[in-house]
Amino acid sequence: MAGAEGDDSLYPIAVLIDELRNEDVQLRLNSIKKLSTIALALGVERTRTELLPFLTDTIYDEDEVLLALAEQLGTFTVLVGGPEFVHCLLPPLESLATVEETVVRDKAVESLRKISQEHSPVDLEVHFVPLVKRLASGDWFTSRTSACGLFSVCYPRVSSTVKAEIRQHFRTLCSDDTPMVRRAAASKLGEFAKVLELDYVKSDIIPLFTALASDEQEDLEALVMPTLRQAAEDKSWRVRYMVADKFSELQKAVGPEITKNDLVPAFQNLLKDCEAEVRAAAANKVKVFCENLPEDSRETIIMTHILPCVKELVSDTNQHVKSALASVIMGLSTILGKDNTVEHLLPLFLVQLKDEVTHLELSPVSHLSVSLSLVVKDLSDCTTAETQLFIFQCPEVRLNIISNLDCVNEVIGIRQLSQSLLPAIVELAEDAKWRGVEFFDEKLNSLCMAWLIDHVFAIREAATCNLMKLVEKFGAEWAQNTIVPKVLGMANDSNYLHRMTTLFCINALSEVCGQEITTKHMLPVVLKMSTDQVANVRFNVARSLQKIGPFLPWLD
Amino acid sequence: MWSSCWTYSLNLSSVPGDGDGQSRWCLSQVKGAVDDDVAEADIISAVEFNHSGELLATGDRGGRIVIFQQEQESKNLPQCRAEYNVYSTFQSHEPEFDYLKSLEIEEKINKIRWLPQKNAAHFLLSTNDKTIKLWKISERDKRPEGYNLKEEDGRYRHPSSLTTLRVPVFQPMDLMVEASPRRVYANAHTYHINSISVNSDNETYLSADDLRINLWHLDFTDRSFNIVDIKPANMEELTEVITASEFHPLQCNTFVYGSSKGSVRLCDMRASALCDQHSKLFEEPEDPSTRSFFSEIISSISDVKFSHSGRYMMTRDYLTLKIWDLHMESRPVETYQVHGYLRSKLCSLYENDCIFDKFECCWRGDDSEVMTGSYNNFFRMFNRDAQRDSTLEASWENGSPGCPLKTWRVCTGSRRKRNEIGVDCLDFSRKILYTSWHPQDNIVALATVNNLYIFQEKPN
């Protein structure tokens, strides 16, 4: 007989093929499990042109058979002729991905993910992505659920136009009508976020996340939380950074219960992250995070969980972290109250102050004001002079304090002010790390001028004295350009007290400004005020003249 | 005004009908044998449209399910859109014998509920007293041909004739509709199952018997969670049983159950695992003036249905239909008398057991009308917006398809006009218990004893 040997080898395969249609499900299952044997015997071309079309239509079968089929197809790349032809496996897997049995769909998706790696980028765009799009826009929620698992595997290697389409499909599925689809999308959120470019993560994923986290269907929250946890522990620091950066939004989305149970540990981890950027981003959120904790447990949570992490951060080596923290520590004082602040926050604050910080601009100043006044008040109440001294040795703090002196004024005693702080300004002037007069002009000029017209005499007096010292430091020319015009300008003020301040300033400044300035600029003003309608002013003119006399040339 | 009275007695002799005694409804089709000799097995016990209205399922006492499909070619033609033809017939349940209790378990289909469509196939849940089954109804229009070692007719070929391998090829064939059981949910109910309801999450459903309600996941047949248990420790203290139960159409955590004492309880599964404590109790205080020996029996809730909007709930007791606003537990917002003329006949209805009949009710797709069945093959339609009601008859004798139905009046007096009938002439053996309204169109399906009637509303 022709091909007798061939017949023998064909026979078992023929049996297998016939049994694909056997009524006994076990025999069918057996044949499906040996599909690779059949494919080998048929060869790559017949496998592609005959076997696969047959398998595509055989979806009217028992779950076990379909499951086995879905699994087999995931390993069939070689049997269809290699990566060049791997896309031939897509049609049968596509129909398996729409079957009502979840296990079969999941296996089909798993196989699709496997073979996606074997597709060339061109094949991805020509064959794979259209499949994903068909599933994503399918009528039945089964196909849309399956689509969710396929976005992340094809995204990285396609063109940016196609990427945009994929992102759009994902967005649509996150807000699908059917809860099961939203659930599937939510569970793939983290995975998809990993392959997205960071900008898109921020613009797309975070809004999707917050929407899903507050979805009506409760178990969506439960699904999304693992994603958040995973993202917070992600290997890529960029993902963790993003989580830290958006933490307060996330907190709002998930609500107080989940915050207590899940977000607090996640936040702690972010504060201890190995990447400085992540720690800094988290540190920036400490105040907001703490503010949004549920009221009943806020203090406990902060004291037990957050504060220990913050304490560690204070001795962080990274500048960004420390400066982020500076703003936050004092922010907590309003939440924790005076006692906790003094006992716990203040030491941290002092540690910070001891620190050598090189970049002045890194310390945000404004938010310090309110809490700072509280701190400084307590400082003056309870800490020793030494502490105060070394506090003011820190240029950073001095600058901050000084820049917030308006608040500080209200809380600390005049004595303190004149004894410690104003000299601190002088100290600043000496500070090598200062950027010089421009800096002073910008930040402190208006302040000093404000002190001059403070309603408390002692302050005006102290300010005047201060001004004098500044002129000593910065020089007469600087004084002439900046201070003197302002001081002299006050001579026209409607409030007589301000006019008198001018005189006191002149008294103080004449010595340091020198003869020329005194004669040319100050004297005329003094003389003009001699005809002031307020007697007290005229009286002080006389005194001024006595004072400045020695510095005027014609009185030699 | 209907909505402000808690007990409104419809004065039948002066009620305005749908103008001229004619309704806008006409008979479309009648299914089933039309002879008088009705086999017990053929008595219809469940009627249900699917979510698109394309399919209509009926169950009978013989445990069979017949599914009708809307005629594809004519469904877009306004005049004959309610044409339904048999799509699939299968035996859902078989009679069983409980050896432990020496009781026969009837194969009668108590309820059918369709699942929302999840792929090209259709799925429904059907239940008898004890067992729920999930059926897949799918179409097949091709079959594979080509064997290696045998002919198509089964004769074997000699292996030596095998020269090359042959892969079967699918060839088109006549459309075949197959029903296959995908899941069997058994052994979870001690008492007779009266309701099943699919959750809006598409994954779970509840089943209720007289004393317990169980929650199932569609994928798992080996476990179910008990969510309501009203069995008293001492069975002699039993006074109330569960009669109907349904999930809220939109909120996956909310369901209601009605009782034999006329109250409906709303439960929230988020509140606790066992929902014995209700969140809301809907109960109307009884009117002392109508109190009688039969009061409790006729207050028993035979059906409870949420409106499509999820805002309202309808309950059917023996004599009335009540519509409740879920926000108001103290009384219904609307009460409709279905057949108030029976109030004086309760004694004889008790004797012939008709007082225990369980009528279903249903909402129109836009919730503007409700419908329920009555005796003498009458069915009642209540238009909530227009505050009008009508009594129509399901009969193939008195109307030809396409012809608008006449409305009826039941009178207590002796004067008879056309389309009036005396209370004493009503045939209590002909009753319409099972009704279903097409979800989107104005097509209703209802069952008389062994016939399925399909009516459609004339298009404007």
Side-chain angles (χ1 to χ4, degrees):
Chain A
M1 235 166 301
E5 286 190 35
D7 293 344
D8 284 349
S9 64
L10 284 183
Y11 181 77
I13 313 291
V15 170
L16 276 179
I17 294 178
D18 283 353
E19 282 179 352
L20 284 171
R21 295 169 52 196
N22 196 293
E23 278 179 18
D24 185 341
V25 64
Q26 284 307 317
L27 291 175
R28 291 202 302 276
L29 188 58
N30 184 57
S31 286
I32 290 288
K33 288 186 175 167
K34 299 221 174 86
L35 213 55
S36 45
T37 313
I38 299 175
L40 269 172
L42 288 172
V44 294
E45 190 164 336
R46 287 190 74 191
T47 300
R48 288 198 305 267
T49 56
E50 293 175 55
L51 185 60
L52 288 182
F54 170 73
L55 294 172
T56 306
D57 286 332
T58 327
I59 54 159
Y60 305 104
D61 211 324
E62 298 293 322
D63 307 341
E64 314 164 84
V65 176
L66 295 181
L67 185 62
L69 177 59
E71 184 156 10
Q72 285 286 311
L73 289 172
T75 61
F76 249 55
T77 312
V78 169
L79 295 163
V80 291
E84 197 187 328
F85 297 102
V86 69
H87 58 89
C88 297
L89 295 171
L90 297 181
L93 284 170
E94 186 174 349
S95 22
L96 288 169
T98 62
V99 161
E100 68 274 5
E101 292 302 330
T102 319
V103 287
V104 176
R105 278 203 312 274
D106 288 348
K107 186 58 84 176
V109 169
E110 193 185 304
S111 292
L112 280 166
R113 286 161 68 106
K114 244 202 255 181
I115 64 171
S116 73
Q117 305 307 317
E118 322 244 8
H119 283 67
S120 68
V122 172
D123 278 342
L124 272 182
E125 286 197 18
V126 172
H127 298 283
F128 198 87
V129 171
L131 178 154
V132 178
K133 285 193 206 169
R134 278 194 300 275
L135 289 175
S137 34
D139 287 334
W140 315 120
F141 70 80
T142 42
S143 65
R144 299 199 302 274
T145 319
S146 297
C148 292
L150 298 173
F151 293 115
S152 54
V153 291
C154 57
Y155 186 88
R157 292 192 290 143
V158 295
S159 69
S160 44
T161 335
V162 177
K163 279 187 181 177
E165 290 169 11
I166 293 177
R167 288 197 303 274
Q168 179 54 45
H169 276 286
F170 190 77
R171 268 200 296 275
T172 314
L173 292 181
C174 284
S175 47
D176 193 278
D177 288 335
T178 315
M180 284 178 72
V181 178
R182 296 202 299 274
R183 221 187 307 255
S187 66
K188 297 292 178 211
L189 194 64
E191 181 188 278
F192 192 51
K194 277 200 197 135
V195 300
L196 284 187
E197 299 84 358
L198 197 61
D199 287 338
Y200 293 121
V201 173
K202 279 197 187 152
S203 62
D204 286 24
I205 298 294
I206 297 293
L208 290 174
F209 181 89
T210 48
L212 287 168
S214 37
D215 195 293
E216 273 175 0
Q217 298 270 336
E218 289 98 49
D219 31 352
L220 269 174
E221 275 178 43
L223 249 186
V224 155
M225 277 323 296
T227 307
L228 176 59
R229 265 182 243 120
Q230 276 170 32
E233 292 159 20
D234 197 282
K235 287 200 249 328
S236 158
W237 74 267
R238 285 180 179 278
V239 177
R240 299 197 307 272
Y241 171 81
M242 172 212 60
V243 174
D245 196 42
K246 298 288 176 180
F247 216 76
S248 34
E249 288 168 39
L250 297 169
Q251 186 185 9
K252 284 204 190 88
V254 302
E257 271 314 302
I258 298 190
T259 297
K260 249 200 287 200
N261 300 326
D262 284 281
L263 289 197
V264 170
F267 194 61
Q268 279 177 283
N269 288 334
L270 291 171
L271 288 170
K272 296 187 210 162
D273 197 278
C274 53
E275 264 317 307
E277 300 250 10
V278 179
R279 293 197 302 274
N284 266 314
K285 299 291 176 200
V286 166
K287 177 162 184 263
V288 176
F289 181 73
C290 293
E291 273 170 1
N292 287 319
L293 288 169
E295 258 186 69
D296 52 344
S297 37
R298 189 181 294 163
E299 201 178 307
T300 333
I301 294 177
I302 299 175
M303 299 305 295
T304 9
H305 297 280
I306 306 297
L307 211 51
C309 300
V310 169
K311 280 187 179 147
E312 283 178 34
L313 282 177
V314 164
S315 37
D316 199 294
T317 47
N318 185 286
Q319 308 295 12
H320 293 262
V321 176
K322 281 186 296 203
S323 44
L325 212 51
S327 60
V328 146
I329 291 181
M330 287 310 134
L332 291 178
S333 64
T334 43
I335 306 174
L336 292 180
K338 183 178 156 177
D339 294 328
N340 278 329
T341 299
V342 171
E343 193 184 326
H344 297 278
L345 292 180
L346 205 53
L348 296 180
F349 191 61
L350 296 181
V351 170
Q352 277 236 301
L353 301 186
K354 274 192 216 172
D355 211 26
E356 297 293 310
V357 178
T358 53
H359 298 283
L360 296 173
E361 69 268 33
L362 283 177
S363 276
V365 157
S366 51
H367 51 269
L368 264 177
S369 56
V370 171
S371 44
L372 193 58
S373 48
L374 183 60
V375 169
V376 176
K377 181 172 190 312
D378 289 302
L379 275 178
S380 56
D381 282 346
C382 63
T383 57
T384 63
E386 277 158 23
T387 318
Q388 291 179 20
L389 195 60
F390 92 74
I391 287 174
F392 301 122
Q393 281 173 352
C394 172
E396 195 62 336
V397 161
R398 286 200 304 272
L399 181 59
N400 288 334
I401 292 176
I402 286 149
S403 302
N404 289 283
L405 273 174
D406 45 333
C407 309
V408 173
N409 273 354
E410 287 161 29
V411 295
I412 74 164
I414 297 305
R415 209 165 40 88
Q416 289 287 353
L417 187 68
S418 50
Q419 277 181 8
S420 331
L421 297 179
L422 288 174
I425 296 183
V426 180
E427 287 275 326
L428 274 170
E430 280 180 359
D431 206 302
K433 288 158 191 165
W434 259 47
R435 283 190 292 176
V437 290
E438 301 81 30
F439 194 82
F440 174 80
D441 285 343
E442 215 176 282
K443 301 254 190 262
L444 299 177
N445 207 347
S446 42
L447 259 168
C448 291
M449 297 311 298
W451 292 329
L452 288 176
I453 55 172
D454 196 285
H455 55 271
V456 176
F457 172 77
I459 296 213
R460 294 199 297 276
E461 193 180 49
T464 311
C465 188
N466 191 51
L467 215 55
M468 185 172 82
K469 297 199 177 126
L470 283 169
V471 175
E472 272 174 21
K473 295 293 170 194
F474 287 133
E477 197 179 324
W478 169 81
Q480 183 179 6
N481 293 330
T482 56
I483 297 288
V484 170
K486 292 223 175 83
V487 168
L488 298 182
M490 275 200 298
N492 299 318
D493 200 295
S494 50
N495 186 338
Y496 84 97
L497 287 170
H498 297 174
R499 299 199 294 277
M500 294 218 299
T501 305
T502 306
L503 293 171
F504 298 146
C505 283
I506 291 174
N507 293 346
L509 292 175
S510 53
E511 186 180 334
V512 292
C513 284
Q515 208 179 69
E516 201 191 329
I517 296 175
T518 309
T519 321
K520 243 169 130 173
H521 301 278
M522 295 190 192
L523 186 58
V525 172
V526 175
L527 291 174
K528 185 158 163 248
M529 281 199 272
S530 62
T531 52
D532 197 288
Q533 45 180 319
V534 174
N536 213 348
V537 175
R538 297 194 301 269
F539 177 66
N540 278 289
V541 165
R543 280 170 116 188
S544 282
L545 285 172
Q546 184 192 36
K547 267 264 160 94
I548 70 174
F551 307 108
L552 298 172
W554 58 270
L555 283 177
D556 269 350
Chain B
M1 264 312 280
W2 300 68
S3 53
S4 57
C5 296
W6 65 266
T7 170
Y8 182 91
S9 204
L10 185 59
N11 189 348
L12 288 162
S13 55
S14 62
V15 66
D18 253 308
D20 289 343
Q22 269 211 2
S23 76
R24 296 178 337 274
W25 290 88
C26 30
L27 176 62
S28 173
Q29 293 174 298
V30 182
K31 305 286 189 193
V34 292
D35 49 56
D36 292 325
D37 208 8
V38 180
E40 168 91 8
D42 292 335
I43 296 176
I44 298 173
S45 54
V47 177
E48 191 79 6
F49 276 105
N50 76 340
H51 294 274
S52 66
E54 188 200 339
L55 298 177
L56 175 60
T58 60
D60 62 26
R61 288 201 191 173
R64 284 167 306 197
I65 290 182
V66 181
I67 300 178
F68 300 89
Q69 184 190 43
Q70 199 172 18
E71 181 55 51
Q72 299 296 304
E73 280 151 26
S74 56
K75 73 176 176 185
N76 293 319
L77 301 172
Q79 297 303 326
C80 44
R81 64 197 195 276
E83 195 180 320
Y84 282 79
N85 297 315
V86 176
Y87 180 65
S88 172
T89 307
F90 57 95
Q91 186 76 33
S92 172
H93 287 71
E94 297 276 6
E96 284 171 50
F97 196 79
D98 181 341
Y99 295 97
L100 197 61
K101 297 179 190 166
S102 285
L103 286 175
E104 201 184 271
I105 301 171
E106 281 184 358
E107 68 275 31
K108 162 172 163 281
I109 306 295
N110 289 339
K111 282 285 188 297
I112 296 172
R113 289 287 183 264
W114 290 92
L115 264 55
Q117 203 168 356
K118 49 172 122 176
N119 62 14
H122 298 273
F123 292 84
L124 61 79
L125 286 171
S126 67
T127 185
N128 68 350
D129 285 338
K130 296 287 186 183
T131 306
I132 306 142
K133 293 188 184 181
L134 176 68
W135 288 89
K136 173 180 176 181
I137 296 104
S138 53
E139 292 183 3
R140 192 195 287 252
D141 59 0
K142 2 182 199 199
R143 65 156 168 259
E145 279 173 14
Y147 281 102
N148 286 287
L149 298 167
K150 56 183 177 184
E151 305 297 338
E152 215 52 44
D153 58 11
R155 280 177 298 140
Y156 279 93
R157 287 196 211 129
H158 197 270
S160 57
S161 67
L162 188 64
T163 50
T164 174
L165 289 173
R166 194 178 162 192
V167 178
V169 175
F170 273 91
Q171 302 289 355
M173 65 183 229
D174 289 339
L175 182 67
M176 191 168 86
V177 181
E178 302 174 306
S180 53
R182 305 298 286 171
R183 299 279 191 281
V184 178
Y185 310 92
N187 303 322
H189 286 279
T190 313
Y191 306 99
H192 289 354
I193 298 174
N194 53 55
S195 312
I196 46 176
S197 176
V198 184
N199 200 341
S200 54
D201 68 5
N202 292 343
E203 288 189 314
T204 57
Y205 74 95
L206 62 77
S207 58
D209 66 25
D210 291 332
L211 296 177
R212 297 194 181 98
I213 301 180
N214 293 332
L215 180 71
W216 301 81
H217 191 288
L218 285 163
D219 287 346
F220 304 114
T221 59
D222 58 352
R223 63 195 101 140
S224 81
F225 295 98
N226 177 246
I227 52 178
V228 173
D229 188 339
I230 64 167
K231 185 175 176 194
N234 184 355
M235 278 299 270
E236 278 162 32
E237 290 166 21
L238 180 67
T239 55
E240 196 175 7
V241 295
I242 298 169
T243 53
S245 182
E246 193 178 60
F247 263 120
H248 192 278
L250 304 167
Q251 294 166 19
C252 60
N253 53 288
T254 308
F255 66 94
V256 292
Y257 67 92
S259 83
S260 54
K261 279 194 167 173
S263 60
V264 177
R265 287 172 176 77
L266 183 142
C267 302
D268 185 335
M269 294 196 289
R270 291 174 303 193
S272 72
L274 192 59
C275 297
D276 283 353
Q277 300 295 320
H278 55 262
S279 298
K280 289 191 196 236
L281 174 63
F282 297 87
E283 200 168 29
E284 190 176 18
E286 199 191 341
D287 178 13
S289 65
T290 58
R291 179 145 185 75
S292 73
F293 174 70
F294 306 105
S295 292
E296 193 177 301
I297 301 175
I298 62 168
S299 70
S300 174
I301 305 288
S302 57
D303 195 14
V304 62
K305 290 263 169 50
F306 280 102
S307 66
H308 292 92
S309 63
R311 166 113 193 252
Y312 297 96
M313 167 180 80
M314 168 164 60
T315 58
R316 175 72 157 99
D317 53 61
Y318 191 63
L319 296 179
T320 67
L321 256 186
K322 291 178 179 156
I323 299 195
W324 302 77
D325 184 326
L326 291 180
H327 296 116
M328 187 163 79
E329 302 166 64
S330 52
R331 54 187 164 81
V333 289
E334 293 158 38
T335 303
Y336 301 104
Q337 296 296 325
V338 180
H339 35 220
Y341 45 79
L342 296 181
R343 198 175 279 279
S344 52
K345 305 275 174 221
L346 292 178
C347 202
S348 44
L349 291 167
Y350 178 81
E351 278 162 25
N352 63 17
D353 278 348
C354 283
I355 206 174
F356 299 107
D357 285 334
K358 300 221 168 304
F359 290 92
E360 286 185 1
C361 53
C362 53
W363 293 84
R364 183 174 148 161
D366 61 4
D367 298 338
S368 64
E369 280 184 81
V370 294
M371 175 180 88
T372 189
S374 179
Y375 294 104
N376 208 67
N377 278 356
F378 285 158
F379 59 101
R380 301 274 283 137
M381 291 223 174
F382 300 93
N383 187 320
R384 299 173 66 210
D385 293 344
Q387 290 297 308
R388 265 202 325 260
D389 71 289
S390 37
T391 307
L392 303 173
E393 186 188 9
S395 152
W396 53 271
E397 286 165 345
N398 293 338
S400 48
C403 195
L405 295 175
K406 301 254 189 291
T407 57
W408 283 85
R409 281 179 203 165
V410 178
C411 322
T412 46
S414 54
R415 305 254 332 235
R416 295 278 176 278
K417 294 188 220 163
R418 264 188 76 199
N419 277 50
E420 284 185 2
I421 182 169
V423 175
D424 297 319
C425 305
L426 296 172
D427 184 349
F428 291 96
S429 66
R430 292 158 66 215
K431 55 191 98 171
I432 295 176
L433 302 174
Y434 311 108
T435 55
S436 184
W437 206 310
H438 189 291
Q440 280 128 34
D441 203 344
N442 281 336
I443 301 173
V444 297
L446 47 87
T448 58
V449 172
N450 67 320
N451 292 122
L452 177 71
Y453 281 77
I454 302 174
F455 296 94
Q456 68 173 29
E457 197 182 39
K458 273 195 314 195
N460 286 332

